Amino acid sequence: MNRWFFALLMIAGLGAAGTGVRAAEFTPAQRTEIVSIVREALKQDPSILRDALTALQVDESAKTDEASRAAIASSRNDLVNSRDPVAGNPNGDVTIVEFFDTRCPYCRRMEPVMSDFLAQDRNVRLVFKDLPILGPGSVLGSKALLAAKRQGAYLKMREAVMRLPTNTTMAQLEQTARHLGLDWPRMEKDMNDPAVQAQIDANLDLARKIGIQGTPAFVIGTELVPGAIDAPDLRKAVEAARHG
């Protein structure tokens, strides 16, 4: 088995550091022998390949997590910037940053989970980062929320928009805004303000920098939590950030 494992290391290029031997230094006959040994090893024990792949995946995951933490640390000010809309306790001891898309079904499913969590933990600050990645309707939704923020109505507009049909239209946004008592002509004008688009672009750039590949995504402390999360795991992540 030791001979088989050594051969696998040579093929993978993992043995070079420990032996000083590069794959290019093998003769054709030696390479043929190594391949033969590997094939025989896999016939006798296919779990060798599975274990090697598992180890590789664990290593890659660890490297990704490390890179993500470094990016989060260097982007801390952008993540918790006061320009962004905030829910929960503005002076909370733990900040959760939520990247979301108004049309994302998983983001919508997180709404009651997060609402209940904030009601239970009164010392959490929730920062919203609009990340419209699901098409024109998403962009409209994000622009409507950021425009509503200028009228002090981001949170109530967000709550309403997240309940609209996912194929959000301008007519639906107008109806919703008027129903909430907002100044629609002003809001429509603000939606087209280049500063609103600039904020969306900044959110997209930040998401790429810290490795976000979809919504929802949460930054809790120094950790990136991709995808929807249930209440127990959310509580665990917050407590880790609080006492870490």
Side-chain angles (χ1 to χ4, degrees):
M1 180 61 71
N2 289 338
R3 186 175 68 144
W4 291 349
F5 185 64
F6 180 77
L8 282 172
L9 290 179
M10 290 298 98
I11 290 295
L14 299 175
T19 66
V21 177
R22 296 189 299 271
E25 294 178 355
F26 291 117
T27 67
Q30 287 173 326
R31 287 197 293 270
T32 298
E33 182 182 3
I34 290 172
V35 171
S36 177
I37 293 171
V38 170
R39 286 176 176 168
E40 184 62 27
L42 293 176
K43 286 179 184 178
Q44 296 294 327
D45 186 1
S47 68
I48 293 174
L49 181 59
R50 180 198 64 204
D51 293 345
L53 290 174
T54 299
L56 180 62
Q57 290 170 347
V58 170
D59 183 61
E60 288 300 316
S61 178
K63 290 178 180 178
T64 299
D65 290 345
E66 183 179 352
S68 178
R69 291 190 191 99
I72 287 171
S74 67
S75 304
R76 195 67 193 168
N77 288 336
D78 292 330
L79 285 165
V80 300
N81 198 302
S82 60
R83 294 177 308 166
D84 296 304
V86 173
N89 183 350
N91 300 310
D93 65 345
V94 173
T95 295
I96 299 174
V97 183
E98 179 179 353
F99 289 80
F100 75 98
D101 185 306
T102 58
R103 298 181 62 217
C104 168
Y106 301 103
C107 299
R108 292 180 175 215
R109 291 178 195 172
M110 282 300 302
E111 288 297 284
V113 175
M114 191 61 73
S115 179
D116 289 345
F117 184 80
L118 293 179
Q120 294 169 13
D121 191 328
R122 300 285 186 171
N123 209 20
V124 170
R125 176 174 178 260
L126 176 60
V127 174
F128 291 116
K129 290 282 191 181
D130 294 84
L131 197 69
I133 58 176
L134 298 178
S138 297
V139 175
L140 278 180
S142 290
K143 287 185 173 182
L145 298 189
L146 294 173
K149 179 176 179 289
R150 297 185 178 186
Q151 298 185 43
Y154 181 94
L155 293 181
K156 67 179 182 179
M157 187 68 185
R158 182 181 184 278
E159 182 179 357
V161 169
M162 295 292 273
R163 293 176 179 172
L164 290 176
T166 54
N167 56 338
T168 311
T169 65
M170 185 66 86
Q172 290 169 337
L173 292 172
E174 178 181 358
Q175 183 180 16
T176 300
R178 291 186 184 278
H179 177 74
L180 293 174
L182 301 183
D183 182 340
W184 173 250
R186 174 188 169 190
M187 183 171 158
E188 187 176 23
K189 179 181 178 181
D190 287 340
M191 286 175 67
N192 294 316
D193 188 329
V196 167
Q197 183 62 54
Q199 185 166 351
I200 291 173
D201 291 341
N203 289 347
L204 291 166
D205 288 342
L206 180 59
R208 282 190 288 266
K209 180 178 179 180
I210 65 177
I212 291 175
Q213 298 179 357
T215 55
F218 303 89
V219 175
I220 306 175
T222 61
E223 299 295 324
L224 172 61
V225 182
I229 182 173
D230 60 23
D233 287 340
L234 180 59
R235 187 173 300 108
K236 187 182 301 182
V238 167
E239 288 304 315
R242 180 169 282 146
H243 302 295

XYZ file of all heavy atoms in Angstrom, residues 37-125:
692
model
N 1.026 1.104 -11.466
C 0.844 0.921 -10.029
C -0.436 1.592 -9.553
O -1.206 1.036 -8.766
C 2.063 1.481 -9.262
C 3.304 0.644 -9.559
C 1.793 1.514 -7.761
C 4.586 1.250 -9.007
N -0.677 2.827 -10.040
C -1.878 3.557 -9.641
C -3.133 2.808 -10.078
O -4.094 2.659 -9.310
C -1.863 4.979 -10.225
C -3.199 5.658 -10.020
C -0.753 5.795 -9.583
N -3.140 2.344 -11.325
C -4.303 1.598 -11.820
C -4.564 0.362 -10.981
O -5.711 0.057 -10.644
C -4.083 1.222 -13.275
C -4.234 2.389 -14.242
C -3.900 1.970 -15.663
N -4.132 3.080 -16.582
C -3.715 3.088 -17.847
N -3.023 2.047 -18.326
N -3.962 4.125 -18.619
N -3.503 -0.355 -10.640
C -3.662 -1.562 -9.832
C -4.160 -1.210 -8.433
O -5.015 -1.905 -7.870
C -2.331 -2.313 -9.743
C -2.412 -3.631 -8.991
C -3.347 -4.618 -9.653
O -3.538 -4.536 -10.894
O -3.899 -5.470 -8.929
N -3.632 -0.103 -7.898
C -4.060 0.323 -6.571
C -5.545 0.644 -6.552
O -6.271 0.262 -5.635
C -3.252 1.548 -6.134
N -6.017 1.341 -7.590
C -7.428 1.712 -7.650
C -8.327 0.502 -7.844
O -9.456 0.475 -7.369
C -7.653 2.738 -8.763
C -6.999 4.105 -8.529
C -7.218 5.011 -9.738
C -7.546 4.759 -7.275
N -7.815 -0.503 -8.558
C -8.591 -1.742 -8.712
C -8.738 -2.442 -7.364
O -9.804 -2.942 -7.018
C -7.891 -2.674 -9.708
C -7.994 -2.253 -11.154
C -7.244 -3.252 -12.040
C -7.258 -2.804 -13.504
N -6.497 -3.751 -14.358
N -7.636 -2.475 -6.616
C -7.646 -3.171 -5.339
C -8.405 -2.394 -4.261
O -9.059 -2.980 -3.403
C -6.195 -3.409 -4.872
C -5.384 -4.316 -5.779
C -5.916 -5.739 -5.806
O -6.428 -6.238 -4.807
N -5.822 -6.380 -6.965
N -8.315 -1.073 -4.317
C -8.955 -0.255 -3.281
C -9.410 1.079 -3.875
O -8.707 2.082 -3.813
C -7.964 -0.001 -2.133
C -8.616 0.714 -0.953
O -9.828 0.990 -1.018
O -7.904 0.981 0.029
N -10.608 1.109 -4.471
C -11.121 2.342 -5.095
C -11.270 3.496 -4.116
O -11.347 4.650 -4.525
C -12.488 1.912 -5.648
C -12.404 0.422 -5.774
C -11.520 -0.017 -4.649
N -11.310 3.199 -2.819
C -11.483 4.266 -1.839
C -10.278 5.209 -1.807
O -10.372 6.325 -1.284
C -11.703 3.682 -0.443
O -10.532 3.037 0.030
N -9.141 4.772 -2.368
C -7.961 5.638 -2.408
C -8.288 6.934 -3.150
O -7.962 8.035 -2.699
C -6.780 4.922 -3.099
C -6.302 3.747 -2.247
C -5.631 5.888 -3.349
C -5.241 2.910 -2.927
N -8.941 6.793 -4.298
C -9.287 7.970 -5.091
C -10.301 8.829 -4.359
O -10.184 10.060 -4.324
C -9.844 7.540 -6.457
C -10.223 8.681 -7.408
C -9.012 9.568 -7.684
C -10.779 8.119 -8.704
N -11.286 8.177 -3.754
C -12.299 8.926 -3.007
C -11.657 9.724 -1.875
O -11.957 10.901 -1.680
C -13.327 7.951 -2.436
C -14.453 8.640 -1.626
C -15.159 7.623 -0.747
N -14.241 7.076 0.247
C -14.392 5.893 0.828
N -15.390 5.101 0.481
N -13.506 5.477 1.732
N -10.757 9.076 -1.128
C -10.101 9.754 -0.011
C -9.222 10.905 -0.501
O -9.146 11.957 0.143
C -9.248 8.764 0.775
C -10.096 7.720 1.497
O -11.320 7.941 1.620
O -9.534 6.695 1.913
N -8.535 10.685 -1.636
C -7.694 11.745 -2.193
C -8.529 12.947 -2.609
O -8.163 14.103 -2.368
C -6.898 11.211 -3.379
N -9.680 12.683 -3.256
C -10.560 13.774 -3.679
C -11.150 14.503 -2.484
O -11.276 15.736 -2.489
C -11.683 13.221 -4.566
C -11.249 12.736 -5.952
C -12.425 12.083 -6.680
C -10.701 13.892 -6.776
N -11.521 13.738 -1.456
C -12.061 14.359 -0.247
C -11.029 15.277 0.398
O -11.340 16.399 0.802
C -12.491 13.277 0.761
O -13.516 12.475 0.182
C -13.006 13.904 2.051
N -9.791 14.790 0.480
C -8.723 15.601 1.060
C -8.494 16.872 0.245
O -8.277 17.955 0.797
C -7.433 14.798 1.145
N -8.553 16.740 -1.077
C -8.371 17.893 -1.950
C -9.489 18.908 -1.746
O -9.245 20.118 -1.673
C -8.331 17.444 -3.413
C -8.149 18.544 -4.463
C -6.816 19.253 -4.250
C -8.214 17.962 -5.865
N -10.741 18.414 -1.633
C -11.874 19.304 -1.425
C -11.775 20.034 -0.096
O -12.078 21.230 -0.003
C -13.180 18.499 -1.498
C -13.513 18.016 -2.898
C -14.663 17.025 -2.909
O -15.077 16.510 -1.865
N -15.194 16.755 -4.092
N -11.363 19.314 0.944
C -11.195 19.941 2.256
C -10.136 21.028 2.191
O -10.305 22.126 2.733
C -10.824 18.880 3.308
C -10.395 19.549 4.618
C -11.992 17.935 3.560
N -9.042 20.744 1.501
C -7.963 21.715 1.377
C -8.413 22.948 0.611
O -8.138 24.086 1.006
C -6.769 21.066 0.667
C -5.577 22.013 0.562
O -5.071 22.442 1.611
O -5.163 22.314 -0.578
N -9.129 22.730 -0.495
C -9.618 23.856 -1.297
C -10.628 24.680 -0.514
O -10.637 25.918 -0.589
C -10.259 23.340 -2.588
C -9.256 22.805 -3.599
C -8.262 23.856 -4.038
O -8.695 24.994 -4.315
O -7.058 23.557 -4.090
N -11.499 23.997 0.257
C -12.484 24.708 1.067
C -11.810 25.569 2.118
O -12.199 26.717 2.356
C -13.429 23.699 1.738
O -14.361 24.359 2.561
N -10.763 25.037 2.743
C -10.037 25.789 3.761
C -9.376 27.028 3.155
O -9.390 28.112 3.749
C -8.986 24.903 4.420
N -8.813 26.867 1.952
C -8.180 28.006 1.284
C -9.211 29.070 0.920
O -8.957 30.270 1.056
C -7.450 27.534 0.025
C -6.199 26.712 0.309
C -5.552 26.249 -0.991
C -4.298 25.423 -0.716
N -3.685 24.915 -1.966
N -10.386 28.614 0.462
C -11.459 29.548 0.107
C -11.936 30.308 1.326
O -12.142 31.530 1.281
C -12.633 28.793 -0.527
O -12.179 28.144 -1.729
C -13.770 29.742 -0.873
N -12.129 29.597 2.447
C -12.576 30.239 3.682
C -11.553 31.260 4.160
O -11.916 32.354 4.612
C -12.811 29.188 4.767
C -14.019 28.314 4.485
O -14.820 28.690 3.625
O -14.145 27.248 5.129
N -10.296 30.917 4.067
C -9.231 31.828 4.504
C -9.215 33.090 3.645
O -9.090 34.206 4.161
C -7.884 31.122 4.429
C -6.720 31.958 4.933
C -5.390 31.218 4.879
O -5.397 30.008 4.584
O -4.355 31.858 5.133
N -9.360 32.912 2.338
C -9.376 34.061 1.431
C -10.590 34.945 1.700
O -10.504 36.178 1.662
C -9.375 33.590 -0.015
N -11.729 34.295 1.983
C -12.950 35.038 2.271
C -12.801 35.864 3.543
O -13.184 37.037 3.584
C -14.126 34.067 2.411
O -15.305 34.768 2.745
N -12.230 35.265 4.587
C -12.037 35.992 5.847
C -11.112 37.191 5.647
O -11.339 38.265 6.219
C -11.465 35.064 6.915
C -12.434 33.994 7.390
C -11.903 33.258 8.600
N -12.706 32.082 8.881
C -12.393 30.851 8.523
N -11.265 30.621 7.856
N -13.181 29.836 8.812
N -10.066 37.000 4.854
C -9.136 38.099 4.595
C -9.833 39.235 3.852
O -9.628 40.415 4.166
C -7.939 37.591 3.797
N -10.671 38.871 2.875
C -11.401 39.887 2.110
C -12.409 40.608 2.989
O -12.605 41.828 2.874
C -12.104 39.235 0.922
N -13.063 39.864 3.877
C -14.023 40.477 4.794
C -13.316 41.457 5.723
O -13.799 42.567 5.970
C -14.762 39.391 5.603
C -15.762 38.650 4.696
C -15.495 39.990 6.801
C -16.373 37.425 5.326
N -12.164 41.050 6.238
C -11.411 41.920 7.148
C -10.999 43.219 6.455
O -11.111 44.311 7.035
C -10.183 41.183 7.671
N -10.546 43.105 5.216
C -10.093 44.294 4.495
C -11.250 45.169 4.014
O -11.051 46.331 3.664
C -9.221 43.891 3.301
O -9.990 43.203 2.324
N -12.458 44.601 4.008
C -13.635 45.332 3.512
C -14.578 45.716 4.644
O -15.736 46.060 4.400
C -14.408 44.469 2.507
O -13.579 44.046 1.453
N -14.090 45.652 5.868
C -14.969 45.839 7.024
C -15.743 47.144 6.962
O -16.954 47.183 7.229
C -14.130 45.774 8.310
C -14.958 45.597 9.570
C -15.619 44.237 9.580
N -16.648 44.126 10.604
C -17.515 43.125 10.672
N -17.483 42.158 9.778
N -18.420 43.084 11.617
N -15.077 48.226 6.634
C -15.762 49.523 6.594
C -16.872 49.536 5.554
O -17.952 50.088 5.788
C -14.763 50.638 6.317
C -13.857 50.915 7.506
O -14.203 50.621 8.642
N -12.684 51.477 7.232
N -16.621 48.945 4.398
C -17.643 48.905 3.353
C -18.821 48.028 3.755
O -19.962 48.288 3.373
C -17.042 48.377 2.048
C -16.030 49.339 1.448
O -16.189 50.553 1.647
O -15.093 48.877 0.786
N -18.551 46.997 4.514
C -19.620 46.081 4.922
C -20.559 46.704 5.942
O -21.772 46.452 5.906
C -19.011 44.797 5.498
C -18.426 43.826 4.474
C -17.545 42.782 5.164
C -19.533 43.141 3.677
N -20.037 47.471 6.852
C -20.875 48.004 7.934
C -21.120 49.503 7.791
O -21.552 50.157 8.735
C -20.236 47.698 9.307
C -20.079 46.206 9.503
C -18.886 48.388 9.466
N -20.858 50.030 6.616
C -20.992 51.467 6.371
C -22.374 51.979 6.743
O -23.388 51.361 6.423
C -20.714 51.760 4.894
C -20.410 53.226 4.672
O -21.209 54.088 4.989
N -19.241 53.509 4.124
N -22.425 53.139 7.385
C -23.694 53.689 7.861
C -24.598 54.172 6.728
O -25.762 54.484 6.961
C -23.431 54.850 8.837
O -22.699 55.883 8.204
N -24.079 54.256 5.493
C -24.937 54.640 4.370
C -25.988 53.585 4.087
O -27.027 53.864 3.502
C -24.101 54.833 3.099
C -23.116 55.985 3.117
C -22.331 55.990 1.823
N -21.737 54.683 1.563
C -21.231 54.302 0.396
N -21.273 55.118 -0.627
N -20.693 53.093 0.247
N -25.692 52.345 4.487
C -26.606 51.254 4.183
C -27.788 51.227 5.152
O -27.655 51.610 6.317
C -25.867 49.917 4.262
C -24.778 49.806 3.216
O -25.097 49.956 2.026
O -23.612 49.583 3.589
N -28.937 50.759 4.666
C -30.112 50.648 5.542
C -29.856 49.656 6.662
O -29.190 48.636 6.475
C -31.202 50.138 4.591
C -30.699 50.437 3.219
C -29.215 50.350 3.287
N -30.396 49.953 7.830
C -30.165 49.131 9.013
C -31.484 48.785 9.683
O -32.369 49.628 9.818
C -29.251 49.868 10.019
C -29.146 49.096 11.331
C -27.868 50.082 9.425
N -31.588 47.515 10.113
C -32.714 47.065 10.925
C -32.161 46.529 12.231
O -30.946 46.398 12.406
C -33.507 45.993 10.187
N -33.053 46.201 13.162
C -32.606 45.711 14.449
C -32.093 46.841 15.309
O -32.580 47.967 15.244
N -31.073 46.559 16.100
C -30.493 47.540 17.006
C -29.341 48.260 16.326
O -28.309 47.646 16.062
C -30.003 46.825 18.275
C -29.443 47.787 19.307
O -29.239 48.959 19.052
N -29.187 47.273 20.497
N -29.485 49.553 16.034
C -28.399 50.283 15.349
C -27.084 50.255 16.108
O -26.018 50.440 15.517
C -28.946 51.711 15.250
C -30.425 51.574 15.403
C -30.641 50.408 16.312
N -27.156 50.017 17.427
C -25.952 49.973 18.259
C -25.654 48.564 18.755
O -24.967 48.384 19.764
C -26.119 50.918 19.458
C -26.335 52.355 19.036
O -25.579 52.890 18.226
N -27.374 52.978 19.561
N -26.156 47.564 18.033
C -25.963 46.180 18.447
C -24.499 45.778 18.517
O -23.652 46.346 17.829
N -24.210 44.779 19.356
C -22.816 44.353 19.516
C -22.372 43.384 18.429
O -21.179 43.102 18.292
C -22.601 43.731 20.903
C -23.384 42.437 21.096
O -24.298 42.158 20.302
O -23.083 41.695 22.064
N -23.317 42.874 17.645
C -22.998 42.017 16.496
C -23.711 42.565 15.272
O -24.905 42.901 15.342
C -23.428 40.557 16.727
C -23.229 39.732 15.451
C -22.636 39.934 17.871
N -22.991 42.672 14.166
C -23.588 43.131 12.911
C -23.695 41.973 11.935
O -22.718 41.267 11.696
C -22.751 44.256 12.278
O -22.774 45.410 13.133
C -23.317 44.651 10.910
N -24.890 41.801 11.407
C -25.118 40.857 10.316
C -25.294 41.679 9.051
O -26.085 42.623 9.025
C -26.385 40.010 10.534
C -26.270 39.171 11.811
C -26.657 39.108 9.329
C -27.557 38.425 12.158
N -24.553 41.348 8.023
C -24.712 42.018 6.731
C -25.394 41.035 5.791
O -24.881 39.944 5.541
C -23.362 42.459 6.141
C -23.569 43.211 4.832
C -22.595 43.324 7.142
N -26.568 41.409 5.298
C -27.338 40.528 4.421
C -27.324 41.047 2.987
O -27.802 42.145 2.703
C -28.786 40.403 4.897
C -29.634 39.522 3.995
C -31.077 39.371 4.453
O -31.397 39.846 5.573
O -31.889 38.798 3.690
N -26.766 40.262 2.087
C -26.836 40.549 0.654
C -28.068 39.821 0.122
O -28.188 38.599 0.288
C -25.585 40.043 -0.052
C -24.343 40.838 0.244
C -23.634 40.623 1.421
C -23.876 41.783 -0.658
C -22.471 41.351 1.697
C -22.721 42.509 -0.392
C -22.018 42.290 0.792
N -28.952 40.564 -0.524
C -30.205 39.947 -0.960
C -30.666 40.520 -2.292
O -30.256 41.605 -2.710
C -31.298 40.152 0.094
C -31.844 41.556 0.122
C -33.021 41.877 -0.527
C -31.148 42.572 0.776
C -33.512 43.171 -0.529
C -31.626 43.875 0.782
C -32.814 44.177 0.127
N -31.520 39.756 -2.934
C -32.177 40.167 -4.174
C -33.681 40.139 -3.903
O -34.196 39.152 -3.364
C -31.811 39.187 -5.301
C -32.348 39.608 -6.660
O -33.576 39.832 -6.768
O -31.565 39.685 -7.618
N -34.381 41.196 -4.273
C -35.811 41.280 -3.961
C -36.629 40.171 -4.607
O -37.719 39.843 -4.131
C -36.387 42.643 -4.399
O -36.180 42.827 -5.811
C -35.735 43.783 -3.633
N -36.110 39.584 -5.700
C -36.845 38.533 -6.393
C -36.439 37.133 -5.949
O -37.074 36.150 -6.336
C -36.635 38.654 -7.908
C -37.152 39.957 -8.513
C -36.919 39.970 -10.016
N -37.648 38.883 -10.649
C -37.198 38.175 -11.686
N -35.993 38.413 -12.174
N -37.932 37.222 -12.213
N -35.392 37.029 -5.161
C -34.852 35.730 -4.766
C -35.811 35.006 -3.819
O -36.120 35.515 -2.736
C -33.498 35.945 -4.097
S -32.860 34.497 -3.249
N -36.292 33.811 -4.180
C -37.233 33.092 -3.309
C -36.628 32.702 -1.970
O -37.328 32.691 -0.950
C -37.609 31.859 -4.132
C -36.501 31.689 -5.124
C -36.016 33.069 -5.424
N -35.340 32.397 -1.956
C -34.691 32.019 -0.695
C -34.529 33.231 0.214
O -34.616 33.116 1.439
C -33.341 31.359 -0.971
C -33.478 30.128 -1.828
C -33.159 30.153 -3.184
C -33.963 28.930 -1.297
C -33.300 29.026 -3.983
C -34.105 27.798 -2.080
C -33.778 27.856 -3.426
O -33.933 26.735 -4.200
N -34.297 34.401 -0.392
C -34.244 35.633 0.396
C -35.596 35.899 1.043
O -35.687 36.294 2.213
C -33.859 36.821 -0.483
S -32.230 36.688 -1.266
N -36.645 35.658 0.284
C -37.988 35.884 0.805
C -38.318 34.916 1.938
O -38.986 35.285 2.905
C -39.007 35.762 -0.330
C -38.877 36.901 -1.345
C -39.866 36.790 -2.476
N -39.782 37.961 -3.357
C -40.815 38.508 -3.974
N -42.016 37.987 -3.827
N -40.650 39.569 -4.736
N -37.823 33.703 1.836
C -38.058 32.724 2.907
C -37.316 33.096 4.180
O -37.698 32.682 5.277
C -37.606 31.329 2.446
C -38.480 30.732 1.362
C -37.939 29.381 0.920
N -38.535 28.956 -0.339
C -38.142 27.900 -1.025
N -37.147 27.147 -0.570
N -38.730 27.576 -2.170
N -36.243 33.864 4.035
C -35.483 34.290 5.204
C -36.168 35.409 5.979
O -35.802 35.679 7.128
C -34.091 34.763 4.789
C -33.083 33.663 4.498
S -32.778 32.576 5.915
C -32.220 33.732 7.167
N -37.140 36.057 5.371
C -37.770 37.211 6.009
C -38.343 36.881 7.395
O -38.007 37.548 8.371
C -38.852 37.793 5.099
C -38.308 38.517 3.874
C -37.482 39.723 4.263
O -38.060 40.755 4.635
O -36.238 39.616 4.212
N -39.217 35.879 7.522
C -39.751 35.585 8.865
C -38.686 35.068 9.826
O -38.743 35.340 11.025
C -40.836 34.524 8.591
C -40.469 33.913 7.280
C -39.835 35.019 6.496
N -37.715 34.333 9.295
C -36.637 33.817 10.140
C -35.853 34.977 10.759
O -35.607 35.025 11.974
C -35.686 32.907 9.332
C -34.494 32.473 10.189
C -36.425 31.689 8.805
N -35.480 35.929 9.920
C -34.693 37.063 10.402
C -35.522 37.976 11.296
O -35.029 38.490 12.314
C -34.136 37.849 9.214
C -33.108 38.886 9.596
S -31.639 38.164 10.385
C -30.854 37.385 8.972
N -36.791 38.166 10.945
C -37.661 39.006 11.761
C -37.812 38.437 13.167
O -37.702 39.166 14.171
C -39.034 39.128 11.090
O -39.898 39.916 11.886
N -38.041 37.136 13.255
C -38.173 36.496 14.570
C -36.863 36.569 15.343
O -36.860 36.785 16.567
C -38.589 35.024 14.405
C -40.027 34.874 13.920
O -40.774 35.866 13.979
O -40.390 33.766 13.491
N -35.753 36.391 14.619
C -34.458 36.411 15.289
C -34.176 37.787 15.888
O -33.710 37.892 17.028
C -33.349 36.024 14.311
C -32.002 35.932 14.951
C -31.633 34.805 15.666
C -31.102 36.983 14.868
C -30.392 34.725 16.288
C -29.869 36.913 15.478
C -29.503 35.777 16.185
N -34.453 38.840 15.138
C -34.215 40.195 15.646
C -35.120 40.514 16.825
O -34.741 41.288 17.718
C -34.431 41.221 14.528
C -33.425 41.196 13.370
C -33.791 42.247 12.329
C -31.998 41.416 13.867
N -36.309 39.922 16.830
C -37.216 40.136 17.954
C -36.715 39.437 19.211
O -36.945 39.906 20.339
C -38.613 39.627 17.597
N -36.009 38.323 19.036
C -35.500 37.557 20.170
C -34.159 38.084 20.671
O -33.889 38.080 21.873
C -35.363 36.082 19.782
C -36.683 35.400 19.506
C -36.512 34.027 18.877
O -35.414 33.472 18.858
N -37.585 33.473 18.339
N -33.305 38.502 19.746
C -31.991 39.029 20.121
C -31.989 40.525 19.828
O -31.822 40.945 18.681
C -30.886 38.328 19.329
C -29.489 38.649 19.860
O -29.296 39.774 20.362
O -28.601 37.790 19.759
N -32.145 41.307 20.862
C -32.279 42.757 20.707
C -30.939 43.468 20.603
O -30.892 44.703 20.621
C -33.062 43.335 21.903
C -34.464 42.777 22.052
C -35.387 43.362 21.024
N -36.770 42.944 21.224
C -37.814 43.449 20.567
N -37.606 44.389 19.657
N -39.027 43.004 20.783
N -29.879 42.706 20.495
C -28.556 43.331 20.433
C -27.843 43.016 19.120
O -26.618 42.937 19.082
C -27.705 42.871 21.619
C -26.678 43.923 22.016
O -26.811 45.103 21.686
N -25.642 43.498 22.721
N -28.629 42.828 18.062
C -28.076 42.545 16.737
C -28.426 43.680 15.781
O -29.567 44.156 15.746
C -28.609 41.213 16.175
C -28.232 41.057 14.706
C -28.041 40.042 16.976
N -27.444 44.098 15.031
C -27.617 45.123 13.997
C -27.613 44.425 12.643
O -26.692 43.683 12.320
C -26.469 46.130 14.091
C -26.450 47.224 13.024
C -25.321 48.204 13.365
N -25.204 49.262 12.375
C -24.296 49.280 11.400
N -23.423 48.269 11.287
N -24.253 50.273 10.544
